[in-house]
Amino acid sequence: MGKGGEKGEEAGEREAQSRLYSWEEIQRHNLRTDKWLVIERKVYNITTWAARHPGGPRVISHYAGEDATDAFWAFHLNPSFVQKFLKPLLIGELAPGEPSQDRGKNPQLVDDFRALRKTAEDMNLFKADPLFFSLYLGHIIIMEALAWLLVSYYGTGWITTFILSCILATSQAQAGWLQHDFGHLSVFKKSKWNHIVHKFVIGHLKGASANWWNHRHFQHHAKPNIFKKDPDVNMLHIFVLGDSQPVEYGKKKLKYLPYNHQHEYFFLVFPPLLIPVYFQMQIIMTMIRRRFWADLAWAFSYYMRYFIMYIPFYGVLGSLFLLTFVRFLESHWFVWVTQMNHIPMEIDCEKHRDWLSAQLAATCNIEQSFFNDWFTGHLNFQIEHHLFPMMPRHNYCKIAPLVKSLCTKYGVHYEEKSLGKAFIDIVGSLKKSGHLWLDAYLHK
């Protein structure tokens, strides 16, 4: 029975490999109910599998009708293990006369980028330093303990409470960068351990959901700054971004808010409210609606620990106010750091670029320094992080010169700026988009 099943499976695979497809035909299968994609010239029908995809159905569906080879290698720690899930989905191969890349992508650029990835592997740049991440976790735990000791010894006065809030906000921000590392499977060799520690850090240390983060953040990495695919540029009509969306809104006479003033109300809406209001509501609703009960249990452990530590000093209501204020402070930190790499860059509809070009169009770097590395969780190397999401962050600086060289070779713009300029560019970009909207609203 077992041997017969194996023979039948092999026969089915051979039959699938004998079917040949053109890019024209593959690109037609990019519908909600009909999804094909290509990985290393093999064609897979992911229509039914997408709903069971561990990274969420949307991230894999964003590549329907396209070549997903580089995305596949970017997101999977053990590709050979994943192959066993792909085998039943195999329906054929690209016809011999078809190029390996779709939509006229530069094959030499694609090959050179893949050679760069192989170079990074040979340099052991995907190998994490256990001491780095141990010390990083340790400094977060020390800050949590220091905050509690502060209120224990000095009481609940205004000055003490403000200092305590700053310490806790710093701890939360740094825990956010650390959960990001485990979420990207960049610490342990086995996915299992990355997932377990990720749930601990994002759940017990931050009170959030690992599955919510995975399903949202991987879409951002797969299609950065692409409308309808990257959730980070879905601004719920509060802001208009880039060059095309403001004009589209203006021509349609859409005025949910006075977008020509968005660079001003940004300070009142985005940094102070993203984490304590929008993310908080979305996380809780997602965990309940999608039945992420394990994530809910981890988040519950965070709130239990927090209230046990601080209710004796501040009471129930005071502890809630303290928690809200901490998240208010953290939200400012998070918004400025995460948006400085993306909002000033190109934000548009799908253009079907190759992996390197797509990531470079949507990301920029911030100058390296010890402070910038720590303050941003090494997201000052946003370009390298987007090209190699599973690379441990302490190795970004080692691969950066090689990335710059490759970009220079093909004329791909590699943007790097100071931290201050990056912050200013966020506001400048919003102002520019707002003026584009106003011009289209009044004159087109």
Side-chain angles (χ1 to χ4, degrees):
M1 180 90 176
K3 290 182 179 180
E6 289 177 8
K7 288 180 179 179
E9 185 178 324
E10 290 174 4
E13 188 175 344
R14 284 196 300 271
E15 183 183 347
Q17 289 176 338
S18 67
R19 298 172 191 157
L20 303 176
Y21 298 100
S22 66
W23 276 116
E24 183 181 359
E25 182 172 3
I26 292 165
Q27 288 164 10
R28 288 199 294 266
H29 297 271
N30 65 344
L31 308 174
R32 187 181 183 90
T33 55
D34 183 17
K35 305 168 188 174
W36 293 6
L37 56 73
V38 176
I39 299 174
E40 295 179 335
R41 296 191 63 86
K42 295 186 183 296
V43 183
Y44 299 93
N45 184 342
I46 61 163
T47 306
T48 56
W49 164 249
R52 294 179 288 134
H53 183 240
R58 292 183 180 178
V59 64
I60 191 172
S61 299
H62 291 336
Y63 277 91
E66 298 182 30
D67 176 55
T69 303
D70 291 308
F72 176 78
W73 282 97
F75 296 132
H76 297 98
L77 191 59
N78 188 351
S80 58
F81 172 77
V82 180
Q83 289 290 345
K84 72 176 186 178
F85 296 100
L86 287 175
K87 279 185 178 181
L89 311 179
L90 181 66
I91 58 172
E93 294 184 351
L94 285 171
E98 291 291 317
S100 295
Q101 286 77 41
D102 59 311
R103 295 179 171 88
K105 295 171 185 172
N106 185 338
Q108 190 58 53
L109 185 157
V110 173
D111 289 344
D112 281 357
F113 172 73
R114 292 173 185 175
L116 175 60
R117 180 182 179 83
K118 180 64 169 60
T119 299
E121 292 173 352
D122 294 340
M123 293 171 65
N124 287 322
L125 296 186
F126 288 94
K127 184 178 181 181
D129 180 359
L131 180 61
F132 174 88
F133 290 104
S134 297
L135 292 174
Y136 208 92
L137 176 60
H139 103 291
I140 292 168
I141 294 173
I142 288 171
M143 283 189 282
E144 292 279 338
L146 181 62
W148 184 82
L149 290 172
L150 192 67
V151 73
S152 298
Y153 280 92
Y154 295 101
T156 58
W158 285 105
I159 295 177
T160 301
T161 299
F162 180 74
I163 295 172
L164 175 151
S165 299
C166 291
I167 294 173
L168 285 179
T170 302
S171 172
Q172 285 295 291
Q174 293 298 324
W177 308 145
L178 185 61
Q179 69 81 22
H180 180 261
D181 297 313
F182 289 104
H184 276 295
L185 313 179
S186 65
V187 182
F188 294 106
K189 291 182 180 179
K190 292 188 176 181
S191 299
K192 173 185 175 182
W193 289 109
N194 283 296
H195 289 312
I196 290 173
V197 182
H198 184 217
K199 286 185 180 295
F200 167 77
V201 176
I202 196 173
H204 185 68
L205 295 185
K206 289 191 63 61
S209 165
N211 281 303
W212 165 82
W213 183 88
N214 287 339
H215 292 185
R216 178 187 177 92
H217 193 65
F218 290 159
Q219 291 183 74
H220 162 69
H221 269 270
K223 296 290 184 178
N225 283 12
I226 301 297
F227 290 123
K228 298 182 180 180
K229 293 187 177 181
D230 179 0
D232 286 2
V233 294
N234 176 16
M235 293 295 176
L236 303 174
H237 305 303
I238 297 173
F239 301 98
V240 288
L241 303 176
D243 294 339
S244 62
Q245 188 185 55
V247 175
E248 179 186 349
Y249 272 50
K251 286 181 176 179
K252 293 179 179 179
K253 309 305 176 187
L254 297 177
K255 187 182 179 181
Y256 297 97
L257 287 168
Y259 297 122
N260 52 312
H261 294 290
Q262 66 178 2
H263 62 290
E264 297 167 339
Y265 67 71
F266 164 82
F267 294 93
L268 302 174
V269 175
F270 206 169
L273 300 181
L274 182 66
I275 289 180
V277 178
Y278 177 64
F279 273 4
Q280 192 63 33
M281 292 172 58
Q282 190 182 64
I283 288 168
I284 293 173
M285 289 171 59
T286 299
M287 288 192 294
I288 294 173
R289 189 173 64 249
R290 299 191 181 180
R291 301 180 180 182
F292 295 152
W293 304 129
D295 286 3
L296 193 61
W298 278 110
F300 182 75
S301 75
Y302 163 81
Y303 289 105
M304 284 291 293
R305 174 177 60 84
Y306 171 82
F307 286 119
I308 287 171
M309 290 174 69
Y310 291 103
I311 281 179
F313 303 105
Y314 291 98
V316 176
L317 191 60
S319 296
L320 283 171
F321 278 127
L322 176 63
L323 179 60
T324 303
F325 184 59
V326 168
R327 287 186 166 158
F328 168 83
L329 294 175
E330 180 202 357
S331 188
H332 283 78
W333 188 333
F334 176 83
V335 167
W336 287 101
V337 169
T338 57
Q339 301 309 307
M340 67 182 180
N341 302 107
H342 295 298
I343 280 186
M345 305 304 291
E346 180 182 304
I347 305 174
D348 211 334
C349 298
E350 178 66 82
K351 292 190 175 180
H352 302 288
R353 292 186 172 108
D354 62 85
W355 182 259
L356 177 77
S357 301
Q359 303 300 333
L360 267 291
T363 58
C364 67
N365 277 8
I366 310 304
E367 294 170 350
Q368 184 188 19
S369 69
F370 178 82
F371 175 77
N372 286 353
D373 290 351
W374 175 83
F375 183 73
T376 68
H378 286 85
L379 293 181
N380 50 326
F381 287 97
Q382 191 74 219
I383 291 172
E384 288 70 30
H385 170 58
H386 265 256
L387 292 176
F388 308 105
M390 293 189 298
M391 182 179 289
R393 59 160 117 159
H394 51 74
N395 288 332
Y396 294 156
C397 60
K398 299 175 183 177
I399 195 66
L402 300 180
V403 173
K404 288 181 184 178
S405 177
L406 182 61
C407 290
T408 300
K409 178 179 178 180
Y410 289 99
V412 178
H413 182 54
Y414 184 107
E415 185 167 351
E416 186 175 40
K417 61 184 76 169
S418 68
L419 186 65
K421 186 178 187 306
F423 289 163
I424 293 171
D425 284 350
I426 295 175
V427 181
S429 177
L430 290 172
K431 186 176 182 179
K432 176 187 174 184
S433 297
H435 286 167
L436 288 172
W437 168 82
L438 183 62
D439 179 67
Y441 186 84
L442 295 176
H443 306 299
K444 295 182 181 180

